[in-house]
Amino acid sequence: MKNIVATLACAALLISAPNFAANMATVAHSTANNGQLVMEDVPAIPAQIETDLRRYQNVRSASFRAWTPDADGLYVSTRFGDVAQLHKVTRPGGARTQLTFFDEPVRSVRNQPGGSALAFTMDTGGNENAQIYLLEPDSSDEPAMLTDGESLNASLVWDQAGERIAYRSTRRNGSSNDIWVMEVGKPDEARMVFESPDGSYWLPVDFSADGRFLLFSNLVSNGDSRVHLLDLESGDHQRLAGDPASPSRSDAVGFDETGQGFWYTTDMAGDFRQLAWQSVKLGDEPILVTADIPWHIDRVSLSEDRGRLAFAANENGFSQLYLLDSAKKRYKPVKDIPIGVLIGMGFSPDNKHLALTLNTPATPSDTFVLELGRKATSYGDLTRWTFSEVGGLDTAGFVEPELIQYPTFDSDSGGPEAIPAWFYKPAGKGPHPVIISIHGGPESQARPYFSSTYQLWLEKLGAAVLVPNVRGSNGYGKHYMELDNGFKREDSVRDIGALLDWIATQGDLDTDRVAVLGGSYGGYMVLASAAHYSDRLKAAVDIVGISSFVTFLENTQDYRRDHRRGEYGDERDPQMRAHLEAISPLNNVEKIQLPMLVVQGENDPRVPVTEAIQVVAALREQGQPVWYMNALNEGHGYRKKENRDIYQQATVLFFQQFLLPKEKNDEPK
């Protein structure tokens, strides 16, 4: 790349938020949403696209957040304006009464044991510096902010008396994830109870019944976590589970009904995370309760009396719910619930019901309530409490994905036997254009979620959608998840090449019209795929993606840098740095020979805006078509509907122009 340093310096002035109007002779600028969405070389959206997408962009959801103190109602998160807010529902199918009215979405919510208050977190403009607020739902008073308004504060838990909260905070130095405790009536007296000795994540999980001990976890990397116990009186702490010498994923759930033991999930004994119980006494061996379930246990909830647990197994992407007797350590599956993905759950204060957030390929996330029996593993009817709007769409006609398996480059030489992917096939005989949607993480997992976006592409573009779980994805065992670590990073990109090979074997798919789209790490995968397979792709959409691992690791927020080094490698090591430089798309940008749409949030603390700035500048330097969108009031992805709508409309227009044309002489100049 010629004069790249000068080009990037110019691009920083051109593209970054405050000075977007510079150099208008070479880049077409426009703004939307009161100047908060800055666009470069993005054409005006035709009115027909806005009309075609309107129904798809007005789908809602209603996710369970907490129970009311009397267990007669629920708090859910739903959107009736621009962002999701907290609402109260008092009966199945009842009206949703809005309780919060902020310009930013409300995040995690925790109800006060034995009381009526709700504690919740919220950040500003997507910067992820979340603050903790206290809300009295039946009061007309505004929610009170309990934290300092500057640092990151998250992972909040109440003590069992409903008097104190514990949370992780960067308040001490802006970078360390320390653990703090606060009496909710005395926020000015909050105190740090555990000082992080490193850059990893330390987060509280549960108080003991007497309030003296705190169970907490240390997340070193996505494949290495440990469980600790803190004596809040003496300050002494000890590691209970997880071993630095033999890394495993061990995550605390909570104390049992006796207080002498605790529940956690762990993959220390095999490839999948199992539910385990262990005494708090050092040296005692754990009991692996779900050793006969050959899938990840990915959701666990304790009842208020701690007599039973609910947990879900991730069975090839679908959720299977179980109820467990805490004392007997026996469990049974819950049958006859919608086939889909369990997003969240929580027991009622009286231990008689279990609220569930369920998502299926044909229905957005909605809240259901399962009646519980007297025995810990018995249950009754499942009742749907919320019926979210789907923009008037006929979801009965939605395409449900097929789970496919395709061989990859090393399937015959010790690699994965196959790569799983979800295949959404449009009506008609084709050959259809194809959009490959790549998840982030990289340890996330594509699951059969409801997606109005995929249905929109199927219906309005006639495109097939493939959503692969390349190596490194969660849900298929820790060995599979580790196959892309460190120096093996580009093996996951080669899995996309293998998917392109599979597409070529399908007579109803058009190998000459394939696009890739992805966000965060998925954005890196898009850029890397564009560098490796430009001759086999027509277009690419990079959403908050990593363009250079070195600059990403140097510029991502301090509080998450060491955690990311555990996944991608430590750029301070000369050998690893050379490898990261060699595989970064920014340093291979001359190989990218296709149109690109780049989508970014100005306040992104994870993948900073500079990652977008530098790749857009480099692509423009070599004459590649680039559409660029930067939302000044967003962070890692667009959470505000007004920004998300325009991004989705621009994506459809981008695919119409660069993916759909069949002949070269039909392509836009």
Side-chain angles (χ1 to χ4, degrees):
M1 295 179 293
K2 300 177 182 178
N3 303 319
I4 188 65
V5 174
T7 301
L8 292 182
C10 177
L13 293 175
L14 171 64
I15 301 172
S16 195
N19 301 295
F20 70 88
N23 200 4
M24 292 194 64
T26 58
V27 177
H29 297 273
S30 62
T31 64
N33 302 335
N34 295 316
Q36 292 298 306
L37 185 61
V38 179
M39 293 172 284
E40 296 181 352
D41 285 342
V42 179
I45 307 296
Q48 188 60 50
I49 287 182
E50 295 184 25
T51 300
D52 287 346
L53 270 58
R54 185 168 294 120
R55 287 177 179 265
Y56 293 91
Q57 294 184 327
N58 281 286
V59 172
R60 307 186 201 277
S61 62
S63 299
F64 167 75
R65 287 292 180 257
W67 284 89
T68 59
D70 56 12
D72 288 337
L74 302 168
Y75 299 111
V76 301
S77 176
T78 192
R79 179 194 57 76
F80 282 100
D82 197 36
V83 295
Q85 295 294 303
L86 196 61
H87 293 69
K88 182 179 180 180
V89 183
T90 57
R91 60 182 176 83
R96 304 172 199 178
T97 303
Q98 189 165 343
L99 301 177
T100 58
F101 300 86
F102 295 103
D103 294 330
E104 305 291 344
V106 171
R107 289 180 172 264
S108 63
V109 180
R110 299 289 183 270
N111 50 324
Q112 179 185 29
S116 60
L118 295 170
F120 66 88
T121 60
M122 183 175 63
D123 69 5
T124 301
N127 65 8
E128 298 191 11
N129 284 339
Q131 303 305 314
I132 299 175
Y133 295 79
L134 192 69
L135 168 69
E136 284 290 352
D138 296 327
S139 170
S140 60
D141 294 340
E142 287 292 315
M145 186 168 68
L146 302 180
T147 42
D148 62 4
E150 299 176 355
S151 57
L152 181 153
N153 305 274
S155 308
L156 67 93
V157 294
W158 287 90
D159 69 3
Q160 295 185 43
E163 298 173 351
R164 296 176 295 170
I165 56 172
Y167 56 100
R168 66 179 172 94
S169 178
T170 61
R171 177 174 172 178
R172 173 169 59 92
N173 59 13
S175 61
S176 299
N177 288 275
D178 305 319
I179 297 179
W180 289 63
V181 169
M182 170 198 301
E183 288 188 37
V184 292
K186 302 176 181 178
D188 293 339
E189 298 178 15
R191 64 188 181 95
M192 183 174 63
V193 297
F194 179 82
E195 182 176 320
S196 168
D198 55 29
S200 60
Y201 284 87
W202 299 81
L203 56 152
V205 176
D206 194 22
F207 285 89
S208 61
D210 61 7
R212 175 174 175 175
F213 295 97
L214 183 67
L215 198 66
F216 66 110
S217 287
N218 175 210
L219 181 58
V220 180
S221 70
N222 283 330
D224 183 8
S225 57
R226 302 112 191 221
V227 181
H228 293 250
L229 184 70
L230 173 67
D231 186 329
L232 292 170
E233 291 184 3
S234 67
D236 296 335
H237 67 91
Q238 59 191 23
R239 176 168 48 85
L240 298 177
D243 186 354
S246 181
S248 64
R249 185 68 187 259
S250 297
D251 299 318
V253 173
F255 288 103
D256 67 8
E257 72 276 21
T258 70
Q260 300 304 306
F262 66 99
W263 295 94
Y264 66 112
T265 59
T266 181
D267 59 12
M268 63 182 174
D271 207 26
F272 291 95
R273 285 196 288 274
Q274 301 166 340
L275 181 63
W277 177 91
Q278 186 174 321
S279 168
V280 296
K281 295 179 181 178
L282 289 179
D284 284 4
E285 292 295 316
I287 297 174
L288 300 177
V289 179
T290 62
D292 60 338
I293 299 179
W295 298 102
H296 273 329
I297 306 303
D298 66 355
R299 297 283 177 185
V300 187
S301 182
L302 273 165
S303 63
E304 295 288 321
D305 62 4
R306 298 170 189 258
R308 68 176 110 197
L309 289 83
F311 66 89
N314 178 349
E315 299 184 358
N316 234 342
F318 292 97
S319 296
Q320 173 59 60
L321 177 65
Y322 294 83
L323 293 176
L324 180 142
D325 185 315
S326 179
K328 296 179 180 179
K329 298 179 177 59
R330 297 176 183 173
Y331 58 87
K332 290 183 179 180
V334 177
K335 300 178 180 179
D336 301 323
I337 66 172
I339 297 173
V341 183
L342 180 62
I343 306 296
M345 56 184 167
F347 286 92
S348 60
D350 60 6
N351 306 296
K352 294 181 179 180
H353 296 89
L354 177 68
L356 308 168
T357 301
L358 293 170
N359 181 294
T360 79
T363 59
S365 295
D366 264 314
T367 298
F368 295 71
V369 172
L370 180 68
E371 182 183 1
L372 300 175
R374 295 182 62 184
K375 293 183 178 180
T377 57
S378 63
Y379 60 92
D381 294 334
L382 180 71
T383 303
R384 185 170 180 174
W385 270 60
T386 63
F387 297 81
S388 291
E389 301 85 349
V390 289
L393 297 169
D394 180 10
T395 57
F398 275 16
V399 174
E400 294 203 9
E402 172 192 356
L403 181 61
I404 66 163
Q405 308 274 342
Y406 66 91
T408 190
F409 70 95
D410 57 352
S411 291
D412 295 329
S413 56
E417 291 184 9
I419 304 297
W422 297 100
F423 181 27
Y424 297 77
K425 186 177 177 180
K429 66 178 186 177
H432 305 288
V434 181
I435 300 171
I436 299 173
S437 178
I438 310 172
H439 69 67
E443 306 86 352
S444 298
Q445 181 188 15
R447 302 182 71 175
Y449 298 112
F450 177 90
S451 174
S452 58
T453 298
Y454 294 165
Q455 301 298 332
L456 183 158
W457 294 342
L458 290 158
E459 176 67 22
K460 300 301 181 181
L461 299 175
V465 181
L466 279 162
V467 194
N469 279 307
V470 296
R471 70 190 66 205
S473 300
N474 194 10
Y476 305 97
K478 64 182 179 183
H479 174 70
Y480 190 83
M481 192 173 72
E482 293 170 354
L483 286 177
D484 67 341
N485 285 1
F487 292 100
K488 298 178 286 186
R489 177 62 47 205
E490 283 198 325
D491 285 354
S492 62
V493 182
R494 295 174 74 183
D495 289 339
I496 299 299
L499 181 55
L500 294 173
D501 294 339
W502 180 87
I503 291 170
T505 68
Q506 307 300 305
D508 53 357
L509 299 182
D510 190 342
T511 57
D512 293 328
R513 294 187 294 160
V514 182
V516 286
L517 173 145
S520 192
Y521 175 77
Y524 156 73
M525 289 287 289
V526 163
L527 294 170
S529 296
H532 282 271
Y533 309 116
S534 270
D535 59 332
R536 304 171 71 182
L537 297 169
K538 288 289 292 289
V541 181
D542 160 32
I543 307 162
V544 297
I546 299 167
S547 60
S548 166
F549 282 113
V550 170
T551 57
F552 158 72
L553 289 167
E554 290 176 341
N555 295 321
T556 193
Q557 284 294 314
D558 293 347
Y559 61 79
R560 63 189 313 275
R561 183 173 295 120
D562 283 346
H563 180 258
R564 292 292 78 196
R565 284 170 173 157
E567 169 66 30
Y568 298 124
D570 192 335
E571 84 288 357
R572 297 168 298 183
D573 174 80
Q575 186 179 7
M576 178 55 71
R577 188 183 186 94
H579 170 70
L580 294 174
E581 293 277 20
I583 68 171
S584 290
L586 183 66
N587 297 330
N588 295 280
V589 74
E590 72 280 355
K591 299 177 183 177
I592 299 177
Q593 299 293 323
L594 47 73
M596 185 82 65
L597 167 59
V598 178
V599 181
Q600 183 64 43
E602 179 74 15
N603 305 320
D604 193 339
R606 302 189 184 195
V607 180
V609 66
T610 48
E611 291 298 300
I613 289 172
Q614 60 195 12
V615 76
V616 168
L619 287 168
R620 283 180 176 161
E621 183 186 23
Q622 64 187 34
Q624 289 302 121
V626 183
W627 298 8
Y628 179 55
M629 307 179 69
N630 182 18
L632 310 186
N633 56 352
E634 300 275 16
H636 197 63
Y638 290 1
R639 297 181 298 167
K640 294 179 169 62
K641 184 178 185 298
E642 61 178 5
N643 295 327
R644 195 166 59 248
D645 283 356
I646 295 177
Y647 147 69
Q648 290 176 327
Q649 294 161 7
T651 301
V652 167
L653 180 60
F654 181 77
F655 285 148
Q656 284 180 346
Q657 290 200 16
F658 297 108
L659 173 65
L660 297 191
K662 292 185 178 182
E663 303 295 335
K664 288 187 177 181
N665 57 10
D666 291 333
E667 293 180 3
K669 303 298 183 183

